[in-house]
Amino acid sequence: MVEQHIASAFDRDLEAIQAQIMKMGGLVEAAIVASARALETRDEELAQQVRLGDRAIDGLEELINEESARVIATRAPAAVDLRVVLSVMKIAGNLERIGDYSKNIAKRTGVLIQWNDSTDSSAALRRMAREVELMLKDALDAYIQRDVELAADVITRDREVDQMYNALFREILTHMMEDPRNITACMHLHFIAKNIERMGDHVTSIAEELIYLVTGNRPEDERPKADTTSTATGEH
């Protein structure tokens, strides 16, 4: 009876933590959408909302980490149960980073409003952000449902995001070469595109974490990457 009580208490703790992960994931999804919309429409007020909203995302990560540490200390989970708690902490860390990238996009939107650039990359950036948002939704669904196949699909789709980034990079580079007056705005647009590409990497990490949680093994195949600009941009 005592063991059953301890097990049920652990399950309740875990359910509460995973509910916080889903809440955090919802806030991050909304931040991706809002930051892309603010960029496309040059909406400074919406961009400001994204910047301020990042505090709630950071707060949830802190709460999740504190609750996870408490569960480890008080429940002493072993084997699979411990892996579940640790996966929650890693997913929270990835979500926090995605939130930071959304905030960074919102910050650069404020700067771009001051520039009358002749580039037209905002719609493409929005499409790219939309794909990452859909990937994140599926990654979180995969986590809740313990769906390895869906998680693997998310990992594969990151290649599409990389390809979209490569195309945008070439487009932005062309604008810079055609008119030096575009350089400052284009540099900001490039960093925004890179932020979105990095979001995709963190979503992929969430999907990989689910596969490890369910199978006990990391994905065997090397993560597919199609970002061919790293050498040119100095990114590592």
Side-chain angles (χ1 to χ4, degrees):
M1 290 294 293
V2 173
E3 289 181 358
Q4 288 179 350
H5 176 74
I6 293 174
S8 63
F10 173 77
D11 289 340
R12 287 195 299 271
D13 287 342
L14 198 57
E15 286 176 5
I17 294 172
Q18 290 185 131
Q20 295 298 332
I21 277 286
M22 290 303 107
K23 181 179 179 181
M24 187 179 181
L27 291 178
V28 172
E29 286 181 39
I32 296 172
V33 173
S35 62
R37 185 183 303 122
L39 172 65
E40 186 174 26
T41 61
R42 298 297 194 264
D43 187 334
E44 172 59 22
E45 183 177 347
L46 183 57
Q48 175 69 359
Q49 290 176 14
V50 174
R51 294 194 293 268
L52 294 176
D54 189 59
R55 297 172 187 171
I57 294 171
D58 292 343
L60 277 171
E61 186 204 17
E62 185 176 346
L63 175 63
I64 289 165
N65 286 338
E66 289 175 354
E67 286 299 301
S68 297
R70 182 186 63 78
V71 167
I72 291 172
T74 60
R75 309 296 183 197
V80 175
D81 289 341
L82 178 60
R83 203 156 70 219
V84 172
V85 178
L86 294 177
S87 74
V88 165
M89 298 175 73
K90 291 180 180 179
I91 289 171
N94 280 292
L95 288 172
E96 190 275 334
R97 289 300 297 137
I98 296 170
D100 280 349
Y101 285 128
S102 295
K103 181 179 68 175
N104 290 344
I105 292 171
K107 286 181 177 179
R108 291 187 186 275
T109 295
V111 176
L112 283 167
I113 289 173
Q114 311 302 319
W115 288 85
N116 294 318
D117 62 285
S118 60
T119 61
D120 188 24
S121 301
S122 296
L125 288 166
R126 178 178 54 78
R127 288 192 296 272
M128 188 177 169
R130 173 62 174 164
E131 178 58 30
V132 171
E133 184 232 337
L134 292 173
M135 285 171 58
L136 177 57
K137 181 181 183 301
D138 285 346
L140 293 172
D141 285 347
Y143 179 77
I144 289 298
Q145 300 163 14
R146 301 297 193 257
D147 188 334
V148 171
E149 186 175 335
L150 180 57
D153 179 62
V154 169
I155 294 170
T156 300
R157 282 154 57 192
D158 187 48
R159 180 181 292 273
E160 298 176 20
V161 174
D162 291 339
Q163 290 172 342
M164 293 169 77
Y165 168 73
N166 291 337
L168 265 169
F169 175 77
R170 290 191 294 270
E171 178 183 319
I172 291 170
L173 192 61
T174 298
H175 284 302
M176 293 171 68
M177 295 173 65
E178 288 177 344
D179 189 344
R181 290 174 297 181
N182 290 331
I183 289 177
T184 299
C186 283
M187 288 299 295
H188 286 292
L189 289 169
H190 169 252
F191 282 120
I192 287 171
K194 193 64 181 176
N195 283 168
I196 300 173
E197 188 270 334
R198 292 295 194 205
M199 287 181 187
D201 289 343
H202 284 284
V203 174
T204 300
S205 293
I206 292 173
E208 289 176 342
E209 197 60 41
L210 178 276
I211 292 175
Y212 174 66
L213 173 62
V214 173
T215 67
N217 298 304
R218 298 290 177 185
E220 293 182 1
D221 294 335
E222 184 178 349
R223 177 186 296 191
K225 288 297 296 177
D227 174 6
T228 60
T229 68
S230 295
T231 304
T233 61
E235 294 281 353
H236 298 286

